[in-house]
């Protein structure tokens, strides 16, 4: 390493003289090598080994036997994240300095109050995560924060977004109960958010207790905010689906009315055609005028009765129109208009709505 700074290091956890975790700490203690990304390679795939690698400063963890495709993908990801880390490092240092200034004038509770106020204006999961990260920096805590809404999740830390080892560790600890502690690390788990702290001040029991209580409150608040955002998004999608149903229902009514009018016109034309054909046939049969008129009257009467049997267009239109009006009324009262929530830079599309007639036949 004396000849140049490595771009990335692959360390086997089991080394002859010292384990890879200790070597990683020693490398990161060398000036200029503090931020060299390290990927651990191990035959173990347990949570304790991953937590130890996380605590030692690793960026990712690969289990043996090593898959070349997976290794290449993780090395490429580590190099990309390392580049992002360089640009974030300066801002992190400035942020830590600002946090120190804030803590010199405010106690821990005042910082929590500031966070709770900021939550009121957070309107996206990213904003909620950023406010939690700001709280962690104010408490001088190194953390990884994961927020979840629907099928989407976002993990942020001082490393950047979706750091592989952060995601892997949180995936394990989020199943460990509301609060999980391991040495200097602690995890606070809620339905929509997990906060993983890697430098809990266990040497100061009083400070540790206050921070634990404050983080529990902050986690509850963030979880409630994310639940609210999730409900808003579900309501927006429901409104979009019902609105689409109303539009399709109105289109179905219009289409049905047109088809019905066309069918009645076609039926009348066929009746007239039938009468004309009968008149032509009467001439060849040598029937009297009275007989011809009687037969025509019967045919005409039956045709009109048959048309009346199927003449329910106005009733159907009135029924479907009433349903459409009621849906519109319910939509405006129960589900007020809401802005689109850009959860994780991913659009949410309303599910398609199929409208079927009472006979089970698609109307459109």
């Amino acid at each position: 390493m004396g000849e140049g700074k490595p771009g990335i290091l692959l360390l086997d956890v089991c080394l002859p003289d010292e384990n890879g975790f200790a070597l990683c700490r020693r490398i990161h203690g060398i000036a200029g090598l503090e931020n060299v990304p390290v990927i651990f390679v191990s035959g173990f795939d347990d949570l304790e080994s991953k937590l130890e690698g996380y605590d030692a400063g690793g960026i990712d963890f690969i289990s043996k036997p090593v898959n070349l495709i997976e290794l290449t993908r993780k090395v490429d990801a580590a190099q990309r994240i390392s580049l992002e880390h360089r640009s974030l490092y300066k801002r992190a240092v400035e942020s830590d300095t600002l946090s120190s200034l804030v803590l010199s004038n405010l106690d821990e509770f005042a910082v929590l109050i500031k966070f709770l106020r900021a939550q009121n204006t957070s309107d996206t999961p990213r904003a909620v995560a950023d406010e939690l990260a700001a709280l962690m920096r104010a408490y001088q805590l190194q953390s990884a924060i994961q927020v979840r809404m629907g099928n989407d999740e976002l993990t942020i830390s001082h490393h950047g977004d979706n750091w592989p080892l952060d995601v892997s560790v949180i995936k394990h600890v989020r199943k460990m109960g509301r609060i999980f502690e391991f040495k200097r690390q602690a995890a606070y788990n809620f339905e929509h958010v997990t906060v993983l702290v890697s430098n809990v001040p266990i040497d100061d029991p009083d400070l540790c207790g206050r921070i634990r209580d404050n983080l529990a409150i902050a986690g509850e608040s963030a979880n409630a905010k994310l639940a609210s955002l999730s409900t808003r998004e579900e309501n927006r999608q429901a409104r979009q689906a019902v609105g689409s149903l109303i539009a399709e229902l109105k289109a179905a009514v219009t289409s049905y009315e047109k088809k019905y009018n066309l069918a009645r016109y076609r039926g009348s034309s066929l009746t007239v055609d039938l009468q004309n054909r009968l008149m032509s046939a009467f001439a060849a049969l040598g029937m009297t005028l009275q007989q011809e008129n009687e037969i025509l009257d019967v045919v005409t009467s039956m045709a009109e009765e048959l048309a009346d049997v199927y003449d329910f267009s106005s009733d159907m239109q009135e029924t479907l129109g009433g349903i459409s009006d009621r849906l519109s009324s319910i939509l405006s009262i129960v589900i007020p208009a809401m802005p689109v929530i850009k959860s994780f830079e991913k659009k949410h599309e309303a599910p398609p709505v199929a409208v079927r007639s009472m006979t089970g036949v698609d109307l459109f």
Side-chain angles (χ1 to χ4, degrees), residues 183-250:
K183 297 181 179 179
R184 294 179 62 85
Q185 300 179 37
Y188 300 83
N189 294 306
F190 301 88
E191 180 182 0
H192 297 284
V193 62
T194 292
V195 178
L196 177 64
V197 181
S198 59
N199 63 334
V200 176
I202 56 178
D203 298 333
D204 187 340
D206 292 337
L207 176 61
C208 185
R210 293 197 305 271
I211 288 180
R212 182 186 295 113
D213 293 341
N214 290 345
L215 291 186
I217 294 173
E220 287 280 8
S221 174
N223 188 67
K225 185 66 177 182
L226 288 166
S228 174
L229 292 177
S230 180
T231 300
R232 285 176 57 188
E233 178 62 14
E234 290 172 359
N235 286 345
R236 186 194 68 80
Q237 293 186 36
R239 180 182 176 82
Q240 186 179 28
V242 175
S244 176
L245 174 60
I246 292 173
E248 293 180 2
L249 184 59
K250 290 180 178 179

Side-chain angles (χ1 to χ4, degrees), residues 99-115 135 138-139 207 210-211 214:
S99 297
S100 298
L101 293 175
V102 171
L103 281 178
S104 66
N105 295 285
L106 300 174
D107 59 15
E108 294 97 344
F109 190 68
V111 173
L112 177 61
I113 292 297
K114 181 181 178 181
F115 164 77
L135 178 69
Y139 284 149
L207 176 61
R210 293 197 305 271
I211 288 180
N214 290 345

